[in-house]
Amino acid sequence: MKAGTLDWSTFRHQYLTRDRVLGVVYLTFAVLIWWLFFPNIEPGASAKFGLNIVTAVKPPPLPDLVVPARPAVLFLGFIAAFLGGWQLARGFREPQAVLGVILIIFLVAFLLWATAGKSFNLVGMLASTLLRAAPITFGALSGVWCERTAVINIGIEGMMLSAAFTGVVVASATQNLYWGLVAAVLTGGLLGLVLAVLAVTFRVDQIIAGTAINIFAVGLTSFLSQSWLAVRQDLNAAGNFKPIPIPVLAQIPILGPIFFNVNIIIYIMMLLVVLSHIVLFHTRWGLRMRAVGEHPRAADTLGINVYLTRYISVTIGGMIAGLGGAYFTLGSVGRFDEVMTAGKGFIGLAAMIFGKWTPIGGFIASVIFGFADALQVKMAILRIPIPSEFLLMAPYIVTIVVLSGVVGRALPPAADGQPYVKE
Amino acid sequence: MTAPEVAVEAQPQPPVRRAFWRQAFQALLLPVLAIVTALLLSSVFIIISDPEVVALWREITVAPGVALAASWEKLRLAYRAMLEGGLGNPALIWQGFQTWVTTGDATQLVKSLEAIDRTLVYSTPYIFAGLAVALGFRCGLFNIGAEGQLFVGALAATYIGYSIKGLPLVIHLPLALAAGAAAGAVWAAVAGVLKAYTGAHEVVTTIMLNYIAFRLSDFLLTGPMKRSGFNPVSPPVEESAWLPKLAPDPLRFHSGFFLALLAAYFVYWFLWKTTWGFEIRTVGANPDAARYAGISIARNYIIAMALSGALAGLAGTSEILGVNRFMAQAFSSGYGFDSIALALLGKSHPTGVVLASLLWGFLRAGATRMQSAAGIPIDIVQIVQGMVIVFVAAPALVRFIWRVRAVQEEGETIFTRGWGA
């Protein structure tokens, strides 16, 4: 190579380092904020964010948060530009985390632009975020339980759909929502058991076994809903769980209405996140699960029953997916519609990967997806000049971006997806 | 190149013909048993779908014969409707043929051939989509996104089909076909690129791309591509972009069927007779070995995904240019998802996929008739599919049910490989 010339590979390896690229990315966001949002806000318009929602239990009302939109957006742009400059000049130790901060800044600027001259209920949207995160969280938890013992569960979507169906039918037939919940959990558990039989005993390719469960569930629920529910409308009218305010806690401003005045399925969800974390990382059973997932041969040598461990975890994973299914019918709309899960099980899997196969990480990831989903609905109400179809794409695009941005560094359990043959 | 042949000749060879039949029997035994098991099990669902028969089963202790007879009658009706809906009534076909020969009046013959026509027309997109998934499997990729690629392909073909006017057929039709294939290829290549460079698993990304494709098609059909009027459908495709029809009018049989067979041959030729195909199969069979042999895994993921998407795009294109001639929302009714079962059933081999697609076309045509004649919801097809997938993917399960012993060590086909790789 002649001195003075610069070919692409030298350029790429010497000058195009990840830190520099990220610095440019931060600066780009700053420019985008100034270019997209700032000129498009009426001068003097202010964005009004509501901090109260109307519920039966009223925490002391808070005044609305009023922000002058233009100066605020200008200021946010400056912060992003500063971070970008700092990254290029000095470098951050955790550039990925800073990227998260930049994205949040961009989002806030977006909200200011969308709300300028209007008002927008912030707490309402956060509450809706938690609700929309619920099925995704159940999906992620179900995935964690299965994959920590090295069984990939692509069938979460199908388990949720079937559980949503049986939940509503049993609840309508018995006129008791709790029986519906039990039925949904049992349905999920049963399908989990089916997956375990196929994946563990018959060593079917796990992704294919899960896909079969999905197709089967879509077919069966649509079939039964057309042949039964179309005739017996009374079997598809269960009603739904009402929010249960927790005394005192529900009175806390902002947090109260979001976390402590929700229905029982959401409480179960929050409990399960904590419980799964404790079981997985602080109990003997959890240690066994992880051993089976990382190195089944070693676990077997130490006397752990690999097959039984997988059977139990996958069945529990199925039951958790069943709870997620119950959320769709008993936890929200109270009736079953064909293919109503709309990919939430798969988004749950993406959340599990994003959360690095941990319950709490999965929950945080689910909240991000839930936020994208809730934002999309609110934006449609604010009538911003973006077609609703593109807003509806948002959660799916976020899933792809997150998966491709993060999964390269997140490592699944070492034996994930491999059947175990006892010697 | 002569040395190995000599070596082969030196060995005592079994009679070729018997070996061939035995192999064919071995290859077909498990898929056939899988289908039979799935159909037998779905009979249960056919029975419980009828409230009257279920009511009779409640009194099974009082009158067991009545319930059994009613169930038998229900099943007989259902499967007869399926056979007639998918293949037609042979007696009527023969009668129609005789009338045509003697009097020259073809109306009766045409009417009796409607069932077969429907089977062939249904199986056309199945062949394309099944090949798409099969090609992915050969590279170790699980393309669940055929449905989305099919939509995008159909959108592109429709757009080229109606927006360009006044071209001759020899230019317009290939152009529309190419547009459909290219759109599907690009859509799938997104998942391929993400898999190759970031490790994002194609199962999740292709499903997400499906939803994005559906929303995109909603957007285009209610906005930029909407025909004037009330319905969210595209303008009609120009006649110069139609796939020529090969049968008189109530029949819909079109040249897309032969195009699909051609595609099957192309996939066979590509995978087994070219270097690119060899690389793809090597990456699918053993990525580590491929890497050590200097084969670029990233490149092959992208190529395989793009080709797979092109085939799926053609599935949508052939439906638009051959049958519908315009695009409507939700026009596909799940061809892309069914294709997974087809690829599995056909063991990811083009010949197998074509046979499986014909079977599926028959099942679908039959199920349509079952719905109209025996009142059984068409979703029964999906139930059968789910079970076929399970049984085909789990030969051990079928052997367990039918007590068939494994005669020889079967080469277990590897379809997918976890989140990693």
Side-chain angles (χ1 to χ4, degrees), chain A residues 54-86:
Chain A
V54 185
T55 49
V57 189
K58 283 201 178 67
L62 291 171
D64 287 346
L65 191 67
V66 181
V67 185
R70 256 191 150 196
V73 165
L74 195 65
F75 176 67
L76 287 172
F78 274 123
I79 298 183
F82 174 75
L83 289 175
W86 187 274

Side-chain angles (χ1 to χ4, degrees), chain A residues 157 161 218 221-222 336-342, chain B residues 211:
Chain A
E157 178 89 1
L161 194 61
V218 170
T221 53
S222 304
F336 181 82
D337 293 309
E338 285 174 36
V339 204
M340 69 189 305
T341 45
Chain B
Y211 286 104

Side-chain angles (χ1 to χ4, degrees), chain B residues 306-340:
Chain B
L307 273 175
S308 173
L311 287 164
L314 279 175
T317 305
S318 78
E319 272 299 271
I320 293 291
L321 304 182
V323 183
N324 297 0
R325 273 94 189 236
F326 68 92
M327 172 120 182
Q329 280 175 318
F331 84 106
S332 140
S333 53
Y335 286 116
F337 294 117
D338 300 358
S339 53
I340 300 159

Side-chain angles (χ1 to χ4, degrees), chain B residues 191-259:
Chain B
V193 169
L194 290 176
K195 165 107 176 171
Y197 292 115
T198 71
H201 199 271
E202 75 277 6
V203 166
V204 183
T205 51
T206 50
I207 289 169
M208 296 299 116
L209 283 168
N210 276 348
Y211 286 104
I212 296 172
F214 301 155
R215 295 291 98 76
L216 184 71
S217 119
D218 286 351
F219 168 71
L220 289 175
L221 290 175
T222 51
M225 279 175 67
K226 188 173 169 303
R227 163 196 309 200
S228 55
F230 183 72
N231 290 327
V233 294
S234 80
V237 170
E238 292 289 305
E239 205 168 333
S240 53
W242 289 9
L243 278 166
K245 269 187 67 171
L246 302 175
D249 233 344
L251 302 185
R252 298 178 302 166
F253 185 63
H254 59 88
S255 41
F257 182 74
F258 294 104
L259 205 64

